[in-house]
mmCIF file of all heavy atoms in Angstrom:
data_model
loop_
_atom_site.group_PDB
_atom_site.id
_atom_site.type_symbol
_atom_site.label_atom_id
_atom_site.label_comp_id
_atom_site.label_asym_id
_atom_site.label_seq_id
_atom_site.Cartn_x
_atom_site.Cartn_y
_atom_site.Cartn_z
ATOM 1 N N PRO M 76 20.302 -8.153 23.812
ATOM 2 C CA PRO M 76 21.541 -8.020 23.017
ATOM 3 C C PRO M 76 21.831 -9.236 22.151
ATOM 4 O O PRO M 76 22.384 -9.098 21.051
ATOM 5 C CB PRO M 76 22.623 -7.830 24.094
ATOM 6 C CG PRO M 76 21.900 -7.284 25.268
ATOM 7 C CD PRO M 76 20.561 -7.947 25.245
ATOM 8 N N LEU M 77 21.478 -10.426 22.618
ATOM 9 C CA LEU M 77 21.709 -11.637 21.826
ATOM 10 C C LEU M 77 20.827 -11.652 20.586
ATOM 11 O O LEU M 77 21.263 -12.070 19.506
ATOM 12 C CB LEU M 77 21.445 -12.875 22.684
ATOM 13 C CG LEU M 77 22.333 -13.036 23.918
ATOM 14 C CD1 LEU M 77 21.928 -14.277 24.705
ATOM 15 C CD2 LEU M 77 23.801 -13.104 23.525
ATOM 16 N N LEU M 78 19.587 -11.195 20.719
ATOM 17 C CA LEU M 78 18.703 -11.111 19.556
ATOM 18 C C LEU M 78 19.248 -10.137 18.519
ATOM 19 O O LEU M 78 19.213 -10.402 17.314
ATOM 20 C CB LEU M 78 17.300 -10.673 20.001
ATOM 21 C CG LEU M 78 16.478 -11.675 20.803
ATOM 22 C CD1 LEU M 78 15.234 -11.009 21.363
ATOM 23 C CD2 LEU M 78 16.099 -12.867 19.945
ATOM 24 N N VAL M 79 19.759 -9.007 18.993
ATOM 25 C CA VAL M 79 20.325 -8.023 18.080
ATOM 26 C C VAL M 79 21.572 -8.580 17.401
ATOM 27 O O VAL M 79 21.795 -8.359 16.205
ATOM 28 C CB VAL M 79 20.646 -6.720 18.838
ATOM 29 C CG1 VAL M 79 21.418 -5.746 17.949
ATOM 30 C CG2 VAL M 79 19.360 -6.071 19.328
ATOM 31 N N GLN M 80 22.384 -9.334 18.148
ATOM 32 C CA GLN M 80 23.581 -9.915 17.560
ATOM 33 C C GLN M 80 23.241 -10.889 16.442
ATOM 34 O O GLN M 80 23.969 -10.994 15.450
ATOM 35 C CB GLN M 80 24.395 -10.619 18.655
ATOM 36 C CG GLN M 80 25.633 -11.347 18.184
ATOM 37 C CD GLN M 80 26.644 -10.446 17.497
ATOM 38 O OE1 GLN M 80 26.588 -9.219 17.628
ATOM 39 N NE2 GLN M 80 27.558 -11.035 16.750
ATOM 40 N N VAL M 81 22.122 -11.598 16.581
ATOM 41 C CA VAL M 81 21.698 -12.519 15.534
ATOM 42 C C VAL M 81 21.437 -11.771 14.231
ATOM 43 O O VAL M 81 21.810 -12.229 13.139
ATOM 44 C CB VAL M 81 20.426 -13.286 15.970
ATOM 45 C CG1 VAL M 81 19.818 -14.033 14.796
ATOM 46 C CG2 VAL M 81 20.768 -14.253 17.095
ATOM 47 N N VAL M 82 20.817 -10.587 14.341
ATOM 48 C CA VAL M 82 20.461 -9.814 13.142
ATOM 49 C C VAL M 82 21.633 -8.980 12.639
ATOM 50 O O VAL M 82 21.851 -8.863 11.428
ATOM 51 C CB VAL M 82 19.242 -8.908 13.443
ATOM 52 C CG1 VAL M 82 18.906 -8.054 12.236
ATOM 53 C CG2 VAL M 82 18.046 -9.757 13.835
ATOM 54 N N ASP M 83 22.385 -8.381 13.562
ATOM 55 C CA ASP M 83 23.441 -7.445 13.177
ATOM 56 C C ASP M 83 24.839 -8.043 13.230
ATOM 57 O O ASP M 83 25.820 -7.337 12.967
ATOM 58 C CB ASP M 83 23.417 -6.217 14.108
ATOM 59 C CG ASP M 83 22.222 -5.325 13.843
ATOM 60 O OD1 ASP M 83 22.038 -4.933 12.689
ATOM 61 O OD2 ASP M 83 21.461 -5.044 14.784
ATOM 62 N N GLY M 84 24.945 -9.315 13.568
ATOM 63 C CA GLY M 84 26.258 -9.903 13.797
ATOM 64 C C GLY M 84 27.179 -9.883 12.598
ATOM 65 O O GLY M 84 28.394 -9.726 12.740
ATOM 66 N N ASN M 85 26.651 -10.034 11.400
ATOM 67 C CA ASN M 85 27.481 -10.058 10.194
ATOM 68 C C ASN M 85 27.364 -8.783 9.374
ATOM 69 O O ASN M 85 27.516 -8.812 8.163
ATOM 70 C CB ASN M 85 27.105 -11.265 9.325
ATOM 71 C CG ASN M 85 27.388 -12.578 10.025
ATOM 72 O OD1 ASN M 85 28.396 -12.710 10.715
ATOM 73 N ND2 ASN M 85 26.500 -13.542 9.861
ATOM 74 N N LYS M 86 27.077 -7.669 10.067
ATOM 75 C CA LYS M 86 26.832 -6.424 9.326
ATOM 76 C C LYS M 86 28.034 -5.986 8.509
ATOM 77 O O LYS M 86 27.896 -5.424 7.431
ATOM 78 C CB LYS M 86 26.410 -5.308 10.281
ATOM 79 C CG LYS M 86 27.455 -4.914 11.326
ATOM 80 C CD LYS M 86 26.928 -3.808 12.192
ATOM 81 C CE LYS M 86 27.974 -3.327 13.206
ATOM 82 N NZ LYS M 86 28.372 -4.343 14.160
ATOM 83 N N GLY M 87 29.256 -6.253 9.021
ATOM 84 C CA GLY M 87 30.437 -5.848 8.284
ATOM 85 C C GLY M 87 30.584 -6.567 6.962
ATOM 86 O O GLY M 87 31.160 -6.038 6.003
#
Side-chain angles (χ1 to χ4, degrees):
L77 299 178
L78 290 170
V79 172
Q80 176 60 17
V81 169
V82 177
D83 288 306
N85 296 321
K86 63 180 183 297

